Amino acid sequence: MTSVLSRPCAPFAPVSGTDLQVPLVQGGTCTYANFDYAASAPALGAVTDRIAELLPFYSSVHRGAGYASRVSTAAYEKARVTVADFVGAQKDSVVVFTRNTTDSLNLLAACVPGETVVLDIEHHANLLPWRDRRVVVAASTLAETIARLDAELAAKPAALLAITGASNVTGEVLPIAELAALAHRHGARIAVDGAQLVPHRRVDIDALGVDYLAFSGHKLYAPFGAGVLVGKRDWLDLGEPHLAGGGAVRSVSIEHTDWAPAPQRHEAGTPNVLGVAALAAACEAIAGFDDAELQEHEHELSSRLRDGLAALDGVEQLQVWADSPDSVGIVTFTVAGRDPGEVAAYLSAEHGIGVRDGKFCAHPLLSRLGHAAGAVRASIGLGSSSADVDRLVDALAALVESGPNWHYAEDAGWWNPVPDPRPFPELAGRVDGVGGHSAAWVGSPCTPADS
């Protein structure tokens, strides 16, 4: 079967791992096809170049007198400006560097002076942190869901509406400007979980009316453990410091602590200079892309994948709303009669294809969609191509038509090929029940043994 449903589409930009060779259970190796961008995107070439450039100067920041410290400090603080420009932040907005989106939203949750309204479809990062939360059950249509949020905010005041920009399960994009206007009309602010939206869509928080935006570097082609919270200063200046320690204070005595204002108030300890520089480099690189061309690349590949899956018997694609006008490059599906973990293990072991399986840290959403046991998620990005999509669809077609060619078994929640003859590199080690499921081997390029 060939799943050519639109014109051929090459990778949009070079990313790390493009030539990674992975072993197959039937012997030989093949080039890895990465469909797990929504979890962690590989680094852009411009990002790895920036890290290599900064490494010789890598040193402590803010209080170091040495030349290397001054360079590192300058790189760290310049990154704030770069990130603010990238997301269209106003001049009085605060850019706080964190570990990731989850860290950012937990930080904000400690600063919210009142109740927070959320939907039940959220990633756990935008569901669990809010201390006084009111959960609105999403309807079958986006229009009715917005109406329910309107009614909830009208019935009782809230300080914040916290909403995802794009679902990490289905990729569906929410109308941020409309929701921002709705929140403000009822006297609330709006926070957007941009973890999945920012890597796929240009976000201008000033133009959209967004008060707070959180996103992660490792989903924005800068996988070095840095995240961001951008937003209004007043709550962040008055809120509880995210971490208590050095760098977050003006002065300290045994009896009293004078906390610094944001962003320093929430950045105690030695910061992740390389991660922040990598994040800024990713922002600069993506800002330099032609947005129309970037959207065309994603649309071509997403349509190709969705149409290819729709042609397969027993493959169901998940969707929250019947009237969704837009979605990013995330497609989640199930295969009738197959556990999602088995499907993922099969794709990896026999075809060298990496996908995500499970509940995607969105248990309530998976349950309401009728898939409490989980599903399979394929996500595309800048390094994806039509050849990758065709490989995935063809591999799934083979699974549907004739089943796997290897035996698979579940052990402690992980599905693995049995036996698993693939070599595992010493750089990663092996964990019982896990190594065979996720192993990747860097070897010499060659064709699969069965091709």
Side-chain angles (χ1 to χ4, degrees):
M1 172 183 177
T2 302
S3 53
V4 177
L5 303 167
S6 57
R7 66 178 180 83
C9 192
F12 188 85
V15 297
S16 60
T18 301
D19 299 323
L20 178 67
Q21 297 293 304
V22 294
L24 304 174
V25 290
Q26 63 267 36
T29 66
C30 69
T31 303
Y32 184 60
N34 184 4
F35 283 93
D36 200 16
Y37 279 76
S40 286
L44 279 164
V47 172
T48 58
D49 290 345
R50 178 68 58 82
I51 295 304
E53 180 183 16
L54 184 58
L55 269 173
F57 300 95
Y58 179 48
S59 187
S60 61
V61 302
H62 294 148
R63 287 165 299 281
Y67 182 77
S69 290
R70 295 295 179 90
V71 172
S72 292
T73 299
Y76 187 80
E77 292 303 329
K78 181 184 177 183
R80 291 195 206 276
V81 179
T82 300
V83 170
D85 290 344
F86 179 67
V87 299
Q90 296 179 331
K91 290 185 178 180
D92 59 348
S93 294
V94 178
V95 176
V96 182
F97 289 121
T98 64
R99 295 180 300 165
N100 45 46
T101 305
T102 301
D103 201 27
S104 295
L105 294 175
N106 274 269
L107 187 164
L108 179 60
C111 301
V112 178
E115 294 183 330
T116 299
V117 171
V118 298
L119 287 171
D120 66 333
I121 67 161
E122 299 291 341
H123 185 286
H124 296 166
N126 197 33
L127 180 66
L128 302 180
W130 311 111
R131 300 179 179 186
D132 297 302
R133 71 171 185 249
R134 287 152 42 195
V135 180
V136 174
V137 177
S140 59
T141 66
L142 188 53
E144 175 57 28
T145 300
I146 295 172
R148 290 184 181 183
L149 288 172
D150 194 4
E152 178 66 28
L153 290 169
K156 184 181 179 183
L160 184 70
L161 170 63
I163 204 82
T164 185
S167 170
N168 75 301
V169 176
T170 64
E172 291 166 276
V173 176
L174 281 78
I176 300 302
E178 181 180 355
L179 290 170
L182 184 155
H184 295 158
R185 187 166 66 249
H186 294 293
R189 294 184 181 182
I190 185 170
V192 175
D193 173 354
Q196 301 299 338
L197 183 65
V198 174
H200 296 273
R201 298 286 188 273
R202 290 304 304 273
V203 176
D204 187 324
I205 61 175
D206 185 27
L208 292 172
V210 170
D211 299 297
Y212 298 96
L213 174 69
F215 60 97
S216 299
H218 70 271
K219 298 184 190 299
L220 195 69
Y221 306 92
F224 294 100
V228 179
L229 175 66
V230 183
K232 294 184 181 299
R233 171 175 292 281
D234 54 350
W235 286 4
L236 298 177
D237 274 350
L238 296 174
E240 177 184 341
H242 191 45
L243 294 172
V249 300
R250 286 194 181 103
S251 64
V252 177
S253 68
I254 299 301
E255 296 79 18
H256 176 70
T257 300
D258 182 13
W259 297 103
Q264 290 79 16
R265 185 183 192 88
H266 303 290
E267 293 183 357
T270 300
N272 181 2
V273 180
L274 291 179
V276 167
L279 174 56
C283 291
E284 290 176 352
I286 293 172
F289 294 150
D290 184 283
D291 195 50
E293 292 179 359
L294 183 60
Q295 296 309 309
E296 183 181 5
H297 175 264
E298 180 175 282
H299 176 73
E300 287 285 341
L301 294 182
S302 296
S303 298
R304 193 183 194 99
L305 178 55
R306 292 184 184 279
D307 291 348
L309 295 179
L312 302 180
D313 292 336
V315 175
E316 175 192 351
Q317 298 179 50
L318 276 57
Q319 188 171 356
V320 180
W321 297 294
D323 58 344
S324 295
D326 186 21
S327 62
V328 300
I330 296 173
V331 182
T332 297
F333 59 93
T334 58
V335 179
R338 299 286 177 186
D339 186 281
E342 181 190 13
V343 175
Y346 155 81
L347 291 171
S348 174
E350 297 185 34
H351 297 277
I353 297 171
V355 295
R356 201 75 164 180
D357 70 274
K359 302 178 185 180
F360 318 113
C361 295
H363 294 187
L365 177 56
L366 268 293
S367 294
R368 69 168 297 163
L369 293 177
H371 296 286
V376 181
R377 184 179 70 188
S379 50
I380 62 176
L382 297 177
S384 302
S385 69
S386 55
D388 294 333
V389 172
D390 293 347
R391 275 179 63 186
L392 174 58
V393 174
D394 288 348
L396 289 168
L399 178 65
V400 169
E401 293 168 4
S402 56
N405 292 318
W406 210 263
H407 177 66
Y408 297 87
E410 185 180 9
D411 179 19
W414 290 90
W415 280 84
N416 296 291
V418 181
D420 188 352
R422 295 174 295 176
F424 204 70
E426 291 298 325
L427 62 91
R430 175 178 289 274
V431 179
D432 290 344
V434 177
H437 182 74
S438 59
W441 177 255
V442 181
S444 58
C446 63
T447 56
D450 62 345
S451 64

